[in-house]
Amino acid sequence: MIHLWLPIALVCVLAGAGAYGVIARRNAVLVLIGVELILNSANLLFVTMGSVRGDTLRTGQVLTLFLITIAAAEIGVALALILALFRKRGHIDLSEPGA
Amino acid sequence: MVILLAALAIPALTGTALILTGRDSVRASEANANLVSLVASIATAALVVATVVTRPKVDYQWLPSLGVRWQFSVDGISAPLLILTAALGIAVVVHARSYPPHGGSPTTFYGCLQLVELGALATFLSRDAVVFFLSFEIVLIPMWVLISRFGDSHDLPARVDASGRFVLYTVLGSTLMLVGILALVHSSGTANLDALAAARGAGLDRSTQMVIAALLLVGLGIKIPMWPFHTWLPPAHTIAPTAGSVLLAAILLKMGTYGIVRLVIAPLPIGFGALAPVFAAAGVVGILWGGLACLVENDLKRLIAYSSVAHMGFVVLGLSSGTTVGLQAALFANIAHGVVSALLFFLVGGLKERWGSADLATARAALREVSPRLGLALVVGFAASLGLPGLVGFWGEFLAMYSAWSPAADRPEGFMRVLAVLAVTGTAVAAGYSLRVLRLIWSGDRTTPAHVDAHGGEWSVLAVLVAAVLVLGVAPGIVLNTTSKDVSVITSEVSR
Amino acid sequence: MSELVLQATRLVVLAPFVASVLGLFVARRRFASAVIASTGAVVTLLAGSYLLYAVHHDSLAGEVSTIGALPLGQLRMPLHLLVDELSAIVVFAVGIVGLAIQLFTKWYLHGDDRYGVFTGTVSLFLAGMLLVVLSGDLVLTLVGWEVMGWCSYLLIGHYSRKDSASRAATKAFLVTRFADLAFVIGLIILASGAGTTNIRDLMATWSGMPGSTLLTAALICLLSGIAGKSAQFPFHDWLPDAMEGPTPASALIHAATMVAAGTFVLARLFPIFVLSDPARLILAVITAVTMIGAAILAFGQSDLKRLLAYSTISQIAIMLSALAVAPVATGSGPAVLYLLSHAMFKALLFLAIGWLSVLVAGTSAIALAGGVRHHKQLRVPLGVGFLALAGVPPLAGFVAKEYVLGAAHDNISELGSATGWIVMVAVGMSVVLTAAYCTRAWLILTHLSAEEEVTHEAAIQQADAIEDVSIIEIFTEPASEGGIPPDSAPASGSTVTDVLAEDVHAEPEHGHADIHRSARLSVGVLAFLSVVGGLIIFTPLVAVEPHITWWLAASSFVLIVASWAGVRYLAPVDGIGDAASRLGADRMELFDRGLGADGVYVALASQVVRLADIVVVADRQVIDAYVRGTVVVTRWIGVTGERVHTRKPSSYLVWLLVGLLVVGVVGVTSW
Amino acid sequence: MSQAVVAVNAGVLLPVLAPAIGAAAVLVVDVVAQRLRRTHYLIALVSLVVGAVGTFAGLGMAAGGVRQTLCLPDGGQCMYAADSVASGLQLAALLAAGVTLLLSWPDDKKQSSGNTAVIVSLVLAATAGATAVAGARDLGSWLVALELATLPTVALVALRGARSAISGAIALLTTALVSFGLLALAAALWFTATGSGFLTPAAALAVIDDPTRRPILVLSVALVVAGIGFKLSLVPFHAWTPEAYDGAPLPIAAFLAGVSKIAALGALLIVIRAIAPLGAPALTTIAIVAAASMTLGNIMALRQDSVVRLLAWSTVAQAGWVVMPLAAASSAAVFASGAYLLAYVLATLLAFAVVAALVQTRGAARARDLSGYHGLVHDHPVLAAALGLALLSLAGLPPGVLGLVAKVTALRPVVASELWLLAVVAAVNAVLGVAVYLRWLRVVMATAEPETDKTAPVAALAPSAHPATLVAVGLAALALVVTSINPQLILGLLGS
C-alpha cells in the first residue's frame, strides 16, 4: 500500500501547476489545460480519500466520475467558444483586452 | 383609529396621485393641483388635530418575519410636532399660491409636498422603531426632487450639488441610525418605542448602550444637523424652493431631535449619559459656529440655514442635560425653531423672488420703506431668532442653558456649566447677526427698486406665523404642558 | 389678596401690552393709535394708583399668578407677579412718566408717518418695564428686561432712514445684550441654586448661605447685566448714541424705565445682594468711576441732549451706589427714592429739551443757545429740571441725593467698609460736577445770541440779572407755574398756546404743529413732581426714614453753589456762553466722542468678525473638506479601479487566484 | 455498492424537473417542427409556471420545515431538501427566467436568427440548474447543478456572435472554468475533511474537534467562497461581470443578473447552513468580500456611462449586500440573505425590462447610454416611473420600500452579531448606492432639453415596445409595487 502522502503531494503539485498555468499562460487552450489540471487534482483527491474512507456510497469514486463528465461538457463549450474567438479575432490570446 | 390612518392615507394617496398625474395639462392643472393639495392638507390637518385630541392607538401586523408592526399613536412629545407639521403642510400650499413652482410640473411639486408631510407625520406617529426608520426615509426622495427640480433655477450645478449633498448625507445618517435601531431592537428584544422607553435600558450593559447610542447620535445628529455634520444644510436651504426650505428647516430637522428623545434618551439612559458631554459640546460648538458664520454670511438663505445650526445646538444642549427641564427645553425649542424658521424662510423665499437673489451685499430698497408687512414679519422673525424673551425663541434657549447649568447627577457638572456659559455667549452672537440683517435690509432710506408688499396667501401665512411666534412666546405652557407628562416619564424625575 | 387687586396687577402689565398689539393693527391711523396708546397708559396709571392705594391702605401684598406655572420637573417656575410697597410705588412712577410721554409723543411726532408704530412700541416698552417692576419671578424679570431692550432698539432706530439712528440702535442693543450674557448666567445660577425662579423663595434659600461663592458669582454676573442696561462703565457708551432716537424715546429710556430697571432689580434682590461684600465693592467701584467720568464727559458735550445722556449715566451710578453702600437696616429705600425723583426730573428735562429742540430745530448747544430767552414758556420747566438734577434744596433731586449720601454715611459709621468711603467721595465729587454741567447748560440756554448782544449792549447785564433772578424765580414759581396745569389747565393752557402760536409764526420754516395741551400738561405735571417729589419721604410710600443728615446737606449745598460760581466765572461772554469752550476745541471733540469708547467697542466687535471669518473659512476648508474629500477619494478609487480593470481575461484569472489566496489565508487564520 | 435505492418524489422535484423537461421538450419540438418560434416560448413559459406552482408547497414553511426527496433508505439522508428559503429562491429563479423569456420574446418583424430553440432550451436548462442547486444536499448534485446553471449562460452570452459578445463570453467562461476548478477542489477537500458526501451540519460538526481536519474544512469553505464569489460577482471574482453584461443580449444580461445570482446564492447557502454550527469566525472572509464588493461595485457604478455596465457594477455592489448577512452565520442570516436577493432580483429585473423596452423603442445606442435617458420622464412617463421605482428600490429609499426593507433585513443579523465595522461600511455603501441610482434617476427626471425635444417629437417615435416586453415591465412593476406595500409577501416566502 502506498503512503497517503504521495497522492496528496501529487494533488498539491497538480493543483499548483494548474493554478500556475491559469495565471501564467495567455493562450486560451493552455489556460484550459490549467483548469483541467486543477480538476484532476480534485479527482485524485476524491479517489484517494474515497479509498481511504471506504464509505458505503463510494462517494469519492462516484464524484470522480461526475467531475470527469462535467469537465468534458465544459471542454466542449470552452473549445467552441475559443473557436469563435479565433474566428473573430484571429488569435486566442487572453491577455488582449476585449472589445 | 380610522382618524389616524386617514391622516396618513390622505397625504399618501394625494401625493401619489398628484405625482402620477400626467403633465399633459401643465398650465391647466396648476391651480387644480394647488386646490387639491390645499384640500388634502386641510383635511389632513383636521384629522391630525382629531388624532391628537382623541389619542387613538393603531397596531397591525405588518412584517411578521421581522417583527415589524404598524404601531401608531400619539403622546405629548409627538403631539406638538404633529400639529406643527400639519399646520405647515397647509402653510406651504397657501404660500405657493403666491409663488407657483417653476422648474417642473406643478403636480409633481405638490405631490412631493404631500409626501414630505406624510413622511413627517408617520415619523412622529410611529411607535415601532423600524417603522420609524422607514417613515424617516420617506421624506428623502420628495425633498430631493423639490431641491433638484424646483430649486433655484439659476444654477444647475449648485442644484445638483445641494440636492446630492442633502440626500447622501441624510442617507448616511439614517443608515447609521438604522444600524443603531437594529442593535437596540435586537438587544432589548422589542421594537416598540414605548416598551423600549419603559425598559430604560434594563439588561443592556454600559458598553453596549454606548455603542448603540453613539451610532444613533451620529445618525440622528446628521439629520439635526449637529456640528460638525451640518455642511449639507446651507446649500440645501440656499437652493431649495421656499416650500422645501420651510419643510426642511421646520419639520425635517425636528425628526432628528425627536428621534434622539425616542431612541436614545429614553431607551439608553446610561449610554446617552456617557456620551452626553460630547454631544452637548457638539451642540454648543454648533451654536457658536453657526452664529459666527451668520455674522459674515452674505446670502440670506444660507444665513438662516446657519442660524438653524445654532438654534438646533440649543436643542442638543437641552437634550444632553438629562433633566426634565432640559428635555422640555429641547422639545419647546424644537417647536420654536419650527415656527421661527418657517416664518423666516417664507419671508426670505418671497424676498428672493422679489430681488432675484438673496444676496445681502446688493443694495436693496429698505423693507421698512417699501413693504411694511414684510418688514414687520422680518423684525418679529429675527427678534424671535435672537431669542428675545416674550417670543417663542426664548423659552427653549433659556431653559436649555439652565438645564446645562444644572444637569442630571450623572453628567460632569463643571464641564456642562462651561458649556452653558458658552451657549449664553451664543445668544449675543445671535443678536449680532439678527441686527446685522435688520440693519442691512430693514432700515435705510432706499426705496428703489420697489417691490410689492406681501398680500394674499403670502401675507396670511406670514401673519399666522407671526401670531404663532407671539402666542407661543407669551404662553409657552401650551406646549410645555402637553409634553411634560411624557417627559417626566422619560427622565423619571418627580416634579416639584 | 382681593380679586380686584389681582386683576389690577395683571392689568398694569396687560394694558400697555394689549395697547401695543392693538396699536399695531391701527398703526397707519394716527388718531386711533393715539387713543389706544393713551388709553393703555391711563389704564395702567389708574390700576397702578389703585395698587398703590391697596398696598398701603389695606396692607395688601403678595403674589399674583400670570400664565400659570411651567411644568419643568425639578425647577419650579410659577411665573408670579409680586405686589408690595416697592413695586407699587415704582409702578405708579412708571405709569406717570409713561402717560406723560405718550401724551407728549402725540404732539412731538406730529408729522411723523410712523407715529403709530412708535407709540405702540412705547406701550410695549412700558409693558416690559412694568413687568420687570411687578415681577416676582426671575424669568419674568428677564422677559421684561429684554423686551425693554428690544423696544429700545426699535425706538432708538425709529428714524430708520438715518444710518446713524440705525447704527445707534444696533449698538445699544448689542452692548446691552452683551452685558446681559452675564445677567442671564447670574439668573440661572440663582435659580438653579434654589430650584425655583420665584424671587421670594430663592431669596429665602440663598439667605441661608451668606458666604457662598456661587452667590457672589451670581450677583457679580447680575451686576454686569445691570451695568449694561443702566449704561454703567464699561457699557456706558450706547446711551449717548441713543440720542439718535426721538426725544420721547430718550425720555422714556432715561427716566423711569430701562436704565432704572437695573436699580430696581437690584433693589428687589437687595436682601441677598447685601450678603455679598465683594459684589457690593465691585458695584461701588463701577458706579464711582461711572458717576465721575460721565459727569466730566457731560460737562464737555457740545450737544445738550448728549449732555443729558451723560448726566443720566452719572445719575444712575449714584442711584446704584446707594445699593452698594446701604446697610441692611437702611435697605433699598434711598436708591428707590433716587429712582423716583430722577424719573421725574429727567423725564421733565428731556421733554422740555425736546420741546425746545422742536422750536429751534436742533439739540446742539449752538442751536439751543439762548433758547429759553426766546421761548419763555420753557424757562420754568427747564430751570426746575436742572435745579433738581443739580440737587438744589429742596427739590426732589436734593432729597434723594441726601439719602444716598446718608446711606454712604451709615455704611461708614455702621460697617466702616471701604465701599462707603468710595461712594461718599465719588458722590461728593459728582455733586460738584453735576452742578457744574447743569450750570453750563443753563448758561448756554439763557445766553443771548451774538446779534442781540451787538444790538442790545445792556443785554449782558440783563442776562446776568435774569440769571440770578431765574434761580430765585424757580424757587418761588413752581407753586404757581408748574402747579397750575393740574388744577386749572384750560385757562393756563390757552394763554401759553397763544404765546406758542407766535413762536410758530416766527419760525414758519419749521412748520410743526402747535403744542398740544396734553403735552404741556405732561411737562407741567413732571415739573411739579420734580419740585415737590421730595416730600414723598414723609409718606409711607417709600421705605425710608424721613430724616436728613444736615451737615451732609449743608456741605453739598455749599459745593453746589461753589461749583455754580466757578462755572459762571469760567463761562465766556462771547460765543454761546459755553463754559466748556475753555477746554479747547480738541478736547471738546474728544468729549463728544465719549473718549473714544466707541472705538473700543468697534475694535472688540471687529475681533468677533475676524473670528467669524475664521469660522467661515474653517467651515469651508476643514469641516466641509472631508465631505468634498469623500468625493475626491471616491473618484480616485474609481479612476484607479478603471485602470485596474484592463478587460483582459488573463488578468481576471490572476485576480481570482489572488482573491482565493486572501480568502483562504484570512479564513484559516481567523478561525 | 450496497442496495441503496433512493426514493424519488416527483412532486417535490417539480421545480427542478419542470424546466428540465421543458428544455428537452423544446429541443424535441424544434426537431419535429422547425421554424416555430412562439411555441418554444409558450412551452418554456408553461414549464416555468408549472415549476413555480411546484414550489408553492414549500413556501413560507415554519422554521425547520423542509420538503425532501432522493433519500437514502438507511441513513435517512436526502440528496434533495428544499426548505422555505430554497423554495423561495426556486420560485424567484423560475419567475425571473420567465421575465427573461418575455424580454427576449421574438419579434415577428425581425428575421429569425434561427436559434430560438437553443436559446429557450439553454435558458430552461440553466434555470433547472438554478432550482436544483437550491435543493441539492450532496456534493455531486451540488456540483452538477451549479455547473448546469453556469455553462448554458456562457453559451447564451456568446450566441449573439458579436465581437463584444464573444469577449464577454470568454471573460465569463475563463472565470467560470477556474471557479469550477476551485469548487471541485473545495468539494474534494470537504470530502477529505468530513468523509461525507453530504453538505450537512452533521458532517461539519464531526470535524470541529479535530485540529488536523478543521483547517482542511476551512480551506474548503474558502474555496467555496471564491468559487461562488465568481458567480455572485463578488470582488475580487467579479471582473467578468461588466464585460459579460455588456456583451450579452439584454435579456441574457437580465438572466445573468437574476437567475444566475439566485443559483449562486442557493449554492452558497447550502454550504453556509452546513457550517453554521462552526460559528462566525469562519465567515470573516465573507465580511471582507462583502465589504469590498459593495464598495468597489458602487464606486465603479458611479463612473459608468453605459447603463448596462452600470447595472453590472450595481450587481457587484448588491452581491456584497446579499452575502453580508452571511458573515453572521445564523439562520436569520440565511433568511436575510435570501430576502435581500429576492428584492434585488425583482428590482434589477424591472430595471432591465425598462431598458429592454427602451432599446426596442429608441434603439440600442440611445437606450444603453446614460445620456439617452435625459428627460425620459417627459417622453415615457410610465416607463420612467417604473424605472424610478426600480432604481429607488435598489437604492433602498421609499417609495421603493421593498429595497429598504431588504436593507433592514440584511443589516439585522450583522448588527445582531455586533459586526459594527461591517455595519458602518454598509452604511457608507448605502450612501454610495443612493448616489449611483440617483445619478441615473436625475438624468431621467431632468427637464428635456428644448432642442432634443423638438428634433424627436414623441409621435415620430418609430417602433413601440414589444407587448411581451411591456408585459414583463408591467408584471415586474406590479410585483414591486405590491411587495413594496407589503414586503411580507416576499419575506413570507422564505419562512417566518
Side-chain angles (χ1 to χ4, degrees), chain C residues 287-300:
Chain C
T287 52
V289 170
T290 312
M291 74 177 85
I292 296 170
I296 294 173
L297 284 172
F299 188 79

Side-chain angles (χ1 to χ4, degrees), chain B residues 448-474:
Chain B
T448 53
H451 56 249
V452 291
D453 203 352
H455 58 87
E458 185 183 16
W459 174 234
S460 54
V461 167
L462 291 178
V464 167
L465 285 171
V466 165
V469 166
L470 273 175
V471 169
L472 287 178
V474 173

Side-chain angles (χ1 to χ4, degrees), chain A residues 32 53 66 74 81 88-89 99, chain D residues 144 147 161 167 177 180 192:
Chain A
L32 213 56
R53 300 256 184 251
F66 267 71
E74 259 182 7
L81 201 58
K88 289 283 173 197
R89 291 203 192 153
Chain D
V144 170
E147 202 54 12
S167 295
L177 289 182
F180 183 71
T192 309

Side-chain angles (χ1 to χ4, degrees), chain B residues 165 169 227-232 234 288-290 292-293 295-297 302 306 324-325 328-329 368-369 372-373 376 379-380 382-383 386-390 394-395 397-399 401-402 405-406 417 420-421 424-429 431-432 435-436 438-439 442-445 453 470 474-477 480-481 484 493-496, chain C residues 17 21 24 28 67 69-77 79 113-114 117 139-140 142-144 146-147 149-150 153-154 157-164 166-167 169-171 173-174 177-178 180-182 184-185 187-189 191-197 214 608-609 611-616 618-620 623-624 626-628:
Chain B
R165 259 169 195 255
Y169 223 139
W227 186 90
F229 306 121
H230 64 280
T231 52
W232 62 269
L288 293 172
W289 193 272
L292 286 171
L295 282 178
V296 292
E297 179 57 59
R302 276 182 82 88
Y306 273 115
T324 304
V325 183
Q328 287 277 61
R368 200 179 187 198
E369 302 302 319
R373 284 171 169 176
L376 172 70
V379 168
V380 174
F382 273 103
L386 64 80
L388 188 71
F394 164 70
W395 298 99
E397 298 188 359
F398 176 75
L399 293 176
M401 295 183 288
Y402 175 89
W405 184 269
S406 50
R417 288 188 168 178
V421 171
V424 173
T425 317
T427 61
V429 181
L435 295 197
R436 168 173 174 254
L438 289 185
R439 198 172 164 207
W442 180 67
S443 58
D445 58 352
D453 203 352
L470 273 175
V474 173
L480 291 173
N481 284 319
S484 70
E493 248 178 40
V494 185
S495 265
R496 278 170 59 172
Chain C
F17 177 71
V21 172
L24 207 58
R28 305 259 170 94
I67 55 171
L70 297 184
L72 295 168
Q74 299 283 312
L75 173 66
R76 280 200 304 115
M77 193 181 284
L79 299 180
D113 57 340
R114 293 209 183 106
V117 174
V139 173
L140 288 183
L142 183 60
V143 170
E146 294 285 334
V147 165
W150 182 251
Y153 166 77
L154 294 175
H158 177 71
Y159 296 126
S160 64
R161 291 165 190 133
K162 270 167 67 184
D163 188 56
S164 59
S166 160
R167 181 183 188 277
T170 308
K171 177 175 168 183
F173 190 81
L174 287 185
R177 180 84 178 186
F178 180 72
D180 282 349
L181 298 181
V184 171
I185 294 170
L187 294 187
I188 288 176
I189 296 175
S192 78
T196 177
T197 56
L214 213 50
V608 177
V609 172
L611 186 62
D613 283 326
I614 294 172
V615 161
V616 168
D619 198 56
R620 179 110 197 97
I623 304 286
D624 198 46
Y626 67 77
V627 180
R628 281 172 285 136

Side-chain angles (χ1 to χ4, degrees), chain B residues 142-158:
Chain B
M143 189 48 87
W144 177 74
V145 172
L146 284 176
I147 298 175
S148 65
R149 282 201 69 189
F150 297 93
D152 192 334
S153 52
H154 303 301
D155 201 349
L156 180 66

